[in-house]
Amino acid sequence: MAPVPDSDFTPRQNEVLASALRLVVDGGEKALTTAAVARAANCSKESLYRWFGDRDGLLAAIVAHQAAKVRVPSESAGELTAAEFRARLVTFAEDLLSVLAGDTSLALNRLAISQASREGAPLGRLLLERGRERISTRARVLLEAGRGQGHVTFGDPTEAYRTLYGLIVRDAHGRWLLGQPPGGADADFAGQAVRAIDQFLTLHPPTVTQGSATTRD
């Protein structure tokens, strides 16, 4: 299995992956055959094998494609103001909620849960490695950049990210997986994102600067 990294997908490959995602949402993993994807995306099987490798490679690419929808604008961040750092966290939080609540993400997660006790089923592992871990790694880069610039204080980046994730998602993802759609305030992802980031920055406040002296955790 040697799938193309998510950052290297071409526009055409993204179109193919979007078609593959629709097949999974509509028909589950059994619907994800190279023939069905080629037909739905109007491409050749040869192209699918060349781009994504075997079926597990296609699944890995699908998960990476979905994870890439959660924007974590940390690359080449340079020096950020406190407002810019907070805005990037809010963007991440809103994207995370939108992706987790989407039909595609829910279908993939439900399918992975149904296969969890089946030996050799790859989807759960791929969702962790190519989805959740990639998102958390990029988010920790942003958090560490913010810490380095004095916009937030924390000790362990992994624990800080887990706190951030918990404040953003709360119990909502579990309820969505069980069939309760977002409604009312639960569907206001922008408002939830702002509240979660405000709570996170209250728990992990910026560096306190007094004159030329700077105190860090």
Side-chain angles (χ1 to χ4, degrees):
M1 180 178 68
V4 179
D6 55 320
S7 60
D8 292 337
F9 292 145
T10 66
R12 177 58 178 142
Q13 289 166 348
N14 279 318
E15 290 175 2
V16 171
L17 291 173
S19 296
L21 278 168
R22 285 193 292 271
L23 288 173
V24 173
V25 172
D26 293 340
E29 188 183 353
K30 290 182 179 179
L32 191 68
T33 65
T34 53
V37 174
R39 184 166 55 251
N42 194 26
C43 70
S44 67
K45 291 183 183 180
E46 290 75 14
S47 294
L48 290 177
Y49 286 118
R50 185 171 67 253
W51 292 337
F52 308 117
D54 61 12
R55 189 169 177 276
D56 281 359
L58 179 58
L59 271 174
I62 287 172
V63 172
H65 171 76
Q66 184 71 359
K69 295 177 183 177
V70 181
R71 294 169 293 170
V72 189
S74 57
E75 295 78 9
S76 303
E79 193 71 25
L80 297 172
T81 66
E84 289 169 339
F85 174 69
R86 180 181 177 279
R88 292 188 180 206
L89 286 177
V90 170
T91 294
F92 166 75
E94 187 172 357
D95 280 4
L96 182 63
L97 288 168
S98 297
V99 169
L100 289 178
D103 289 343
T104 298
S105 176
L106 292 174
L108 287 171
N109 278 275
R110 286 168 179 154
L111 184 58
I113 291 168
S114 73
Q115 297 176 348
S117 61
R118 196 175 79 195
E119 187 175 352
L123 187 54
R125 172 179 55 81
L126 291 172
L127 282 170
L128 288 172
E129 294 176 358
R130 306 274 176 162
R132 191 181 184 109
E133 286 303 318
R134 288 192 177 191
I135 291 171
S136 67
T137 296
R138 298 202 309 269
R140 288 197 300 269
V141 169
L142 176 58
L143 288 175
E144 292 188 73
R147 179 175 64 175
Q149 295 172 23
H151 303 314
V152 64
T153 55
F154 56 83
D156 180 21
T158 298
E159 288 302 316
Y161 174 73
R162 288 173 177 167
T163 299
L164 175 63
Y165 185 93
L167 290 170
I168 295 168
V169 179
R170 301 167 293 119
D171 69 335
H173 195 219
R175 289 187 283 107
W176 298 336
L177 284 170
L178 292 173
Q180 182 185 84
D186 200 29
D188 178 16
F189 297 153
Q192 287 185 51
V194 169
R195 284 191 294 274
I197 299 311
D198 285 346
Q199 291 166 350
F200 179 76
L201 293 177
T202 298
L203 289 171
H204 299 279
T207 299
V208 177
T209 303
Q210 294 180 342
S212 59
T214 301
T215 303
R216 296 179 185 271
D217 252 2

